[in-house]
Amino acid sequence: MNKMLTLNRNLFQFFPYHLVEVSPWPILSSFALLNLTIGAVSYMHGYPNGGFLLSLGFISTVFSMILWFRDIITEATYQGFHTKQVQKGIMIGVILFIVSEVFAFLSVFWAFFHSSLSPAIEIGAVWPPQGITPLNPFGIPLLNTILLLSSGAFVTYAHHALIQGNRKGAIDGTILTIILAVVFTGLQYYEYSEAGFTISDSVFGSSFYASTGLHGFHVLVGTLFIGVAFFRILFYHFSNAHHGGYEASILYWQTTNI
């Protein structure tokens, strides 16, 4: 009976909005994130089974995200629920999320500039503090900047190719973007392994790893975002007029390049 009512409602829907069905994924995601947070804190403080709780929270979070996103892709691609109005609402939500991310970065960089422009007496009133050898900004950091900017150009090319119906160009541009993103992550890992200071080495180490680590995490998420969009292009989920998921991933990726 409920399925029949749902079918009738979808057939005779005279408004552009999508009335979402009851879903278990929001509450599951909430508990998964709670478990992830408790596990992370327990692991960092050395509590017993902290690593197990952290792993369980991570796996359950990924599991709930995959299932939730699967349902959204089904609604958008196969059921046709994502009308222009729905896509506009989703894009506004993505933009608001990105704005919150910008302020997260702002707080980290504020801490760095506050400490560097007026070094405290506790660290010798010098920046960087004595005993710390900073990384050469014209080495790997400059190379990674070039890689990210190049990836932004390639993903923009792929976007315009998709709009123009150039499927091969969209695929090639997305592949190059993913390759550059993976190279960036590998170089950042190498940079961390070769650094002569850690996150516990005064406010310099804390602000450095907090800012670059947060940025690196966003690059990882953006790579997964672009990767999912790439497979959706391969499976013909996107057209030149209906590719909101791809545009959202591009917007997020371009934000990581700022």
Side-chain angles (χ1 to χ4, degrees):
M1 184 64 180
N2 290 334
K3 291 183 178 180
M4 183 62 68
L5 290 175
T6 302
L7 179 61
N8 290 336
R9 190 199 69 188
N10 293 335
L11 289 175
F12 300 102
Q13 178 174 303
F14 295 102
F15 50 87
Y17 302 99
H18 175 209
L19 299 181
V20 183
E21 301 295 329
V22 177
S23 172
W25 310 132
I27 187 67
L28 177 62
S29 299
S30 299
F31 281 108
L33 289 170
L34 176 62
N35 191 13
L36 179 65
T37 304
I38 295 175
V41 173
S42 301
Y43 176 76
M44 293 176 186
H45 286 81
Y47 288 110
N49 299 319
F52 172 76
L53 286 176
L54 178 60
S55 301
L56 181 62
F58 177 78
I59 293 173
S60 57
T61 300
V62 173
F63 175 76
S64 61
M65 289 175 62
I66 290 175
L67 293 177
W68 198 349
F69 294 162
R70 179 205 62 181
D71 287 354
I72 295 175
I73 291 174
T74 301
E75 294 167 356
T77 307
Y78 302 109
Q79 295 178 304
F81 289 151
H82 286 194
T83 61
K84 289 292 184 181
Q85 190 66 37
V86 173
Q87 292 182 63
K88 181 180 178 181
I90 292 175
M91 192 57 64
I92 291 175
V94 171
I95 292 173
L96 291 176
F97 167 72
I98 291 175
V99 169
S100 69
E101 296 290 285
V102 169
F103 279 97
F105 277 104
L106 179 64
S107 64
V108 177
F109 287 120
W110 183 279
F112 177 84
F113 286 120
H114 172 78
S115 301
S116 61
L117 294 176
S118 181
I121 190 65
E122 288 81 5
I123 59 174
V126 294
W127 190 266
Q130 300 227 351
I132 292 182
T133 303
L135 298 172
N136 179 14
F138 297 103
I140 291 180
L142 177 60
L143 177 58
N144 268 347
T145 300
I146 295 173
L147 290 176
L148 275 186
L149 293 177
S150 300
S151 70
F154 281 121
V155 79
T156 301
Y157 163 77
H159 182 207
H160 285 279
L162 183 63
I163 293 175
Q164 295 170 3
N166 182 3
R167 175 177 166 80
K168 184 178 183 302
I171 293 175
D172 292 344
T174 307
I175 290 176
L176 289 173
T177 301
I178 295 174
I179 291 174
L180 292 177
V182 172
V183 173
F184 171 91
T185 303
L187 287 175
Q188 184 163 0
Y189 173 80
Y190 175 78
E191 182 183 50
Y192 280 2
S193 63
E194 294 295 318
F197 55 92
T198 66
I199 194 172
S200 60
D201 286 328
S202 80
V203 67
F204 181 89
S206 299
S207 59
F208 173 82
Y209 282 102
S211 57
T212 59
L214 183 64
H215 181 253
F217 174 75
H218 280 77
V219 170
L220 283 174
V221 174
T223 304
L224 293 175
F225 208 169
I226 296 288
V228 172
F230 169 70
F231 282 104
R232 294 189 66 189
I233 293 175
L234 292 181
F235 291 122
Y236 294 91
H237 287 186
F238 296 136
S239 67
N240 61 339
H242 196 283
H243 50 270
Y246 193 44
E247 288 183 335
S249 66
I250 293 173
L251 186 60
Y252 183 88
W253 185 254
Q254 299 290 23
T255 305
T256 63
N257 296 340
I258 297 177

